Every structure is written in structure tokens, then in C-alpha cells.
Amino acid sequence: MTKKTLLSGVKPTGRPHIGNYFGAMRQFVDMQDEYNAIYMIADYHALNFIQNKEELNQAIIDLTIDYLALGLDPKKSIIFKQSDVMEHTELAWIFDTITTMPYLERAHAYKDAEVKNKEISVGTFNYPMLMAADILLYDVDAVPVGQDQKQHVEYARDTAQKFNFIFGKEVFKLPESKILGEVAVVPGIDGQKMSKSYGNTIPLFATLDEITKAVMSIPTDSKPMNEPRNPEEDNVFKLHKLFSKSEDLFVLRERYEKGEIGHKESKEILIKNIDAFIAPLREKRDQIAHDIDYVLDVLKDGGKRAKAKAEKKMEAVREVIGVKLY
Ligand code: TYM
């Protein structure tokens, strides 16, 4: 049986956090055997946030190292950066021409930005079309992402359908998002969705000091130690769910409910568990970071392999829209 194809991406806009990991990146590693997997560094998306040469250079390299440290294997998967395949921006333009403003105005990310009264760039507004291009160029079946990207994958589906309908040919395959139910939205240290822009993250490759600082700053209620507590309302417990074995979580839950555990102890257990999880990743990351030439080679090679696929697709697109004359 031929393998299905998946594509996903992360924006290089600073260190990934455990929300990125449990919501999306963990699936990346698990899925690379079963699928023809394509993992992208979404650097043109990041340009909406970082407009500084050195910073963007570094962010791209860092994220590539992160991918490799997590276990993405360039022999199994294509690892590449978006800007190496200019077909992405070309196709995004074509999608812009068949997309209406009101349709894009319904995007959650745009609406959120508007509510916050930010000056919204055209790039931010058009973001779903570039993301649709990322996905549709590669005949993708599955897009593993966290809940916050679900709507963007739906935009890609709608856009594929619309294009196929307008030009009368099934050029694009309809992709589906793959979302891990229980960790679709990983909470940050303040209980809101963990997000770089909210400043409530625990970085995925954090040092013990950083983990300690982040966990110790989680706000908690002021109930005295021996009063029963609902673990589901506790931000520390929500994170325990990600880092505890099920039998340990069961015991913790009981201790919360019986009022047998204080915030300090609960936080100390969490720090220990997070560090035990992160320490080997940190080590692997440090090793890879010593060989930047290898990291750049991975990107270059991935870029060539992705480009070969994207070029073929764009030939078909140019043909059906009517710009290909020779
Ligand atoms: P980005 O870089 O914001 O996030 C990367 C992935 O992490 C997931 N995620 C979370 N999951 C659960 N809980 C959280 N608190 C949490 N925070 C982030 C995101 O859902 C995402 O899967 N637009 C994308 C990047 C992108 C892309 C693509 C993805 C560009 N082109 C094509 C898939 C396919 C983004 O900004 O992700």
C-alpha cells in the first residue's frame, strides 16, 4: 500500500514550548514512519513577527535543531524551510485572487488580532492563504496540528475545493487536520492557552532554572493545605497531566481531593517530572547544536526535495489557470 502524505510546520518565532510539543510536534515524531512526512520551518510566516536579519537567521537554525533533537529524521522525512521553495508564495498569490475579504475576515487569528487592536499587516490577514499553499502544494492527506490551527486547515480545504471548482479540474487534494484530543489546547502557566505571545510558556528545551522559575510562578488559590481541592481547577494539576504516569496521576488526584497536598509540594513534583522529561532532549539538542554545517545540510537537502514536488504541482496549476503558453 502506498503511504499517505503529511505536512506540518512551526513558525520560527522563538523557542518552542511544551504546548507546541504536546499539541503538535510529538505527533511529528510518531508519524514519520507511517507517512511520507514533510516538516516545514514556516519562515515566511514568521516574517510577520520577526523583521530582523540576525534574529530570523538564528530562529530558523534553532528550530531546525529543535526538530532534529526531538527525533525528526531527515532520512525518513523532508525537513525544509518555506522560503527555499518559492512556489509557496506564488501559489498563495493565486489563492488570494480567488478568495474574498469577508471570508478571510472570519479567521480566528485575524479576529483575535483585531480585538487586541493591533495594526494588522496584510501578511497577517493573508496568512491562511499562504498556509493553504503550504499544504496544497504537496497533495497532503493529513496535517497534524493543535486545536488553534484547525480553522486554518479548513481554509486550505475550502480553498482547494474552490480552486478545483473554478478551474474545472481536481488539481488539489483535500487535506484533513489531525488533532490529538486530550492535548488539543495545552494550558500555559496562567491557565490560558500556552502561547509565545501571552508570555505564559515553559520552553521545550528549558534549563532546570527556567523550569523552576516558570512552575513557581503558576498562580494558585489561597486555600490552606488540608482543604480538599478540585484538581481540574488547578493550573499545576493541568500540567501534571502531561508529565505524570497514569498511576502517579491517580495518586496525585486523590491527594488533591483529600486536601493532602500543598501547592509547594505539587509544584516541586511537577518541576522534577518536567526536568526528567526535558533533560535528555536538552542534551541531544546541545550535541546537534555543535554541528551547524550538518544542520544547514539537512535544510538544503530538504529544500531540494520539497522543491521538486512543489515545482511539479505548480506546473499543473499554471497550466489550468491559463498562464502557461510554452
Ligand atoms: P505555530 O508555530 O503557532 O505552532 C506550532 C504548532 O503548535 C501547536 N500549538 C499548540 N497545541 C496545543 N496547545 C497549545 N497551547 C499550542 N500552541 C501551539 C499549533 O497548533 C501548531 O500545530 N500556522 C502554523 C504554522 C504553519 C503550518 C503550516 C502548520 C504554517 N504552515 C502548514 C501546518 C501546516 C503556526 O503558526 O503554528
Side-chain angles (χ1 to χ4, degrees), residues 24-303:
M25 294 166 95
R26 185 177 52 153
Q27 314 187 65
F28 293 3
V29 183
D30 295 343
M31 291 171 91
Q32 57 182 351
D33 291 313
E34 204 187 319
Y35 286 81
N36 289 318
I38 308 176
Y39 296 114
M40 188 180 77
I41 313 264
D43 54 353
Y44 275 152
H45 284 289
L47 197 56
N48 281 309
F49 301 85
I50 300 183
Q51 290 159 358
N52 174 293
K53 176 185 163 178
E54 283 76 26
E55 216 184 304
L56 189 55
N57 269 190
Q58 195 57 47
I60 294 167
I61 292 173
D62 280 343
L63 183 57
T64 314
I65 300 172
D66 297 339
Y67 273 178
L68 295 168
L70 289 178
L72 294 193
D73 180 351
K75 291 197 195 76
K76 292 182 187 164
S77 306
I78 295 180
I79 300 172
F80 81 108
K81 70 177 169 74
Q82 193 179 26
S83 59
D84 279 347
V85 183
M86 59 196 177
E87 283 75 5
H88 289 242
T89 43
E90 182 181 359
L91 185 56
W93 171 257
I94 294 169
F95 288 159
D96 281 350
T97 67
I98 63 165
T99 301
T100 65
M101 302 266 290
Y103 176 70
L104 285 179
E105 278 163 7
R106 289 200 289 273
H108 301 314
Y110 167 72
K111 283 203 269 189
D112 287 352
E114 232 201 355
V115 169
K116 287 182 191 132
N117 253 333
K118 281 192 200 152
E119 285 273 322
I120 299 158
S121 67
V122 176
T124 302
F125 184 64
N126 270 352
Y127 193 112
M129 292 300 101
L130 182 55
M131 184 155 159
D134 300 337
I135 297 169
L136 298 178
L137 271 174
Y138 299 95
D139 289 334
V140 164
D141 300 285
V143 187
V145 283
Q147 182 69 31
D148 62 351
Q149 297 296 318
K150 187 176 188 304
Q151 192 194 32
H152 286 152
V153 180
E154 278 158 15
Y155 270 69
R157 275 180 79 88
D158 287 354
T159 305
Q161 261 171 326
K162 191 164 185 191
F163 183 99
N164 292 347
F165 176 74
I166 291 174
F167 296 102
K169 199 168 174 197
E170 296 295 305
V171 175
F172 294 117
K173 195 165 184 173
L174 307 192
E176 269 181 54
S177 51
K178 247 186 171 294
I179 296 172
L180 293 175
E182 76 281 18
V183 286
V185 182
V186 174
I189 55 176
D190 58 357
Q192 288 190 81
K193 183 187 93 164
M194 186 175 288
S195 167
K196 285 168 217 167
S197 51
Y198 301 159
N200 62 357
T201 66
I202 301 177
L204 179 53
F205 296 94
T207 61
L208 178 56
D209 268 2
E210 289 171 321
I211 298 168
T212 307
K213 223 171 124 208
V215 172
M216 283 305 175
S217 68
I218 298 176
T220 44
D221 64 38
S222 52
K223 280 186 190 169
M225 152 105 184
N226 53 2
E227 229 177 90
R229 230 180 244 114
N230 179 356
E232 296 306 330
E233 286 170 6
D234 182 71
N235 293 330
V236 182
F237 189 81
K238 285 183 194 155
L239 291 169
H240 274 305
K241 286 184 180 173
L242 300 173
F243 294 97
S244 311
K245 292 196 204 89
S246 57
E247 56 275 25
D248 295 342
L249 194 67
F250 184 79
V251 174
L252 266 174
R253 183 185 290 280
E254 277 200 334
R255 292 188 64 200
Y256 264 81
E257 285 166 353
K258 290 185 183 155
E260 286 175 1
I261 186 165
H263 293 307
K264 186 160 176 286
E265 187 191 348
S266 180
K267 285 182 174 181
E268 281 163 1
I269 297 173
L270 182 62
I271 291 168
K272 204 171 105 247
N273 287 344
I274 297 181
D275 191 57
F277 169 78
I278 290 184
L281 296 177
R282 247 178 0 226
E283 252 169 58
K284 192 150 174 231
R285 195 184 187 288
D286 286 347
Q287 282 166 12
I288 297 167
H290 277 112
D291 194 352
I292 295 298
D293 287 342
Y294 166 70
V295 175
L296 296 179
D297 281 346
V298 166
L299 278 185
K300 272 188 229 160
D301 176 63

